[in-house]
Amino acid sequence: MTKDEFSALHTGSKPLVLFNIWDAGSAKIVAQAGARAIATGSLALAGAQGLEDGESIAFPDLLRTMRQIRAVTDLPLSVDIETGYADDLATLQGNATALLEAGVIGCNLEDQMIGSQGLRELAAQAERIEAIARAGLFVNARTDLFLGPLIRGEKPDRAELVDAALERAGVYADAGAGCLFVPGLGKPDLIARLCEAAPLPINVMRLPGMAANAELAQLGVARISYGPGPWQAAMQAVGEAARVAVA
């Protein structure tokens, strides 16, 4: 599948639903369930290796996992590369090229800096998006405007954050992003406003108590990610079964 064909999955009345995976085995199961595309989540991918989130899995190991996933499914593959595993643009573009060579079609690139609650300055983030898009990857530009407050126990569903997201959406679209990812945003009216006003398709992350996928589609959402939820549920099931077994 080409980048343009993958981009086309983000249009129309049916959102692209991504039940996020963490290795080749989980990718094979999700593909067999009827998924239209396969996507990793960084927390799950690291957690499956016993590591913490935050680019703790080495980039060569990430590439190896992508090749393993590509070996079991021909579905379009998107990978969460967090901040890109690079400080400079040349290395960032090289990483994007390596992902393409491993069979990846798209990536998530976040604007929160690793180890910091701050967001990267708009112009700098735009340069990073442009470098990856120029290499040929579909860029799902993630903003942590909403996820940051959610993690800190603050209210993420705020109109002023939607305003800030719209500003970023405009800059990111001009830089070549194909979608805007807004994990942490969950209030239907704010999602609808963002979908209506943003120059990019909108990707939300499923949260507990969130509107059903059909309702999110009616709000204008183009892509729905399940984030770390599938891996966390799988690990909980393993833990519970293990406790019964060893008791």
Side-chain angles (χ1 to χ4, degrees):
M1 178 176 281
T2 67
K3 178 181 174 180
D4 288 343
E5 290 170 331
F6 183 62
S7 178
L9 295 179
H10 298 73
T11 62
S13 59
K14 185 178 181 180
L16 175 62
V17 176
L18 298 173
F19 196 80
N20 296 87
I21 56 89
W22 53 93
D23 60 10
S26 57
K28 188 173 183 179
I29 292 295
V30 170
Q32 290 172 345
R36 292 190 288 159
I38 298 295
T40 70
S42 64
L43 188 152
L45 195 68
Q49 302 299 319
L51 301 171
E52 297 296 324
D53 199 12
E55 295 185 13
S56 57
I57 183 170
F59 189 70
D61 294 335
L62 178 71
L63 288 174
R64 182 169 57 252
T65 301
M66 296 308 105
R67 296 187 193 101
Q68 291 169 342
I69 294 170
R70 175 51 61 228
V72 301
T73 176
D74 291 329
L75 289 175
L77 173 60
S78 183
V79 57
D80 186 341
I81 58 170
E82 303 184 74
T83 65
Y85 285 81
D87 292 324
D88 63 282
L89 297 179
T91 302
L92 184 65
Q93 191 164 12
N95 288 348
T97 299
L99 288 166
L100 280 165
E101 292 171 349
V104 174
I105 193 68
C107 70
N108 291 356
L109 183 72
E110 62 193 56
D111 55 15
Q112 178 169 294
M113 295 176 284
I114 297 292
S116 168
Q117 294 183 353
L119 302 187
R120 198 178 298 273
E121 193 270 332
L122 260 174
Q125 185 67 5
E127 289 181 336
R128 297 173 71 80
I129 291 169
E130 184 178 10
I132 294 176
R134 192 185 307 119
L137 283 179
F138 177 93
V139 180
N140 188 33
R142 171 178 141 177
T143 180
D144 282 85
L145 281 164
F146 306 97
L147 189 59
L150 181 65
I151 291 173
R152 295 192 296 270
E154 302 169 6
K155 182 182 177 182
D157 294 307
R158 306 201 305 266
E160 66 270 22
L161 294 182
V162 173
D163 292 338
L166 286 170
E167 180 185 10
R168 287 189 173 255
V171 174
Y172 294 171
D174 290 343
C179 189
L180 180 71
F181 187 22
V182 289
L185 181 63
K187 195 174 179 182
D189 63 327
L190 294 180
I191 292 174
R193 179 185 162 210
L194 185 61
C195 291
E196 181 178 357
L200 290 170
I202 297 300
N203 177 192
V204 300
M205 185 174 73
R206 174 145 296 288
L207 299 168
M210 198 175 203
N213 287 356
E215 183 178 345
L216 292 173
Q218 293 176 350
L219 297 176
V221 171
R223 174 166 162 167
I224 302 169
S225 299
Y226 276 66
W231 175 76
Q232 290 168 334
M235 293 303 100
Q236 182 178 354
V238 169
E240 290 172 355
R243 282 189 289 274
V244 171
V246 302

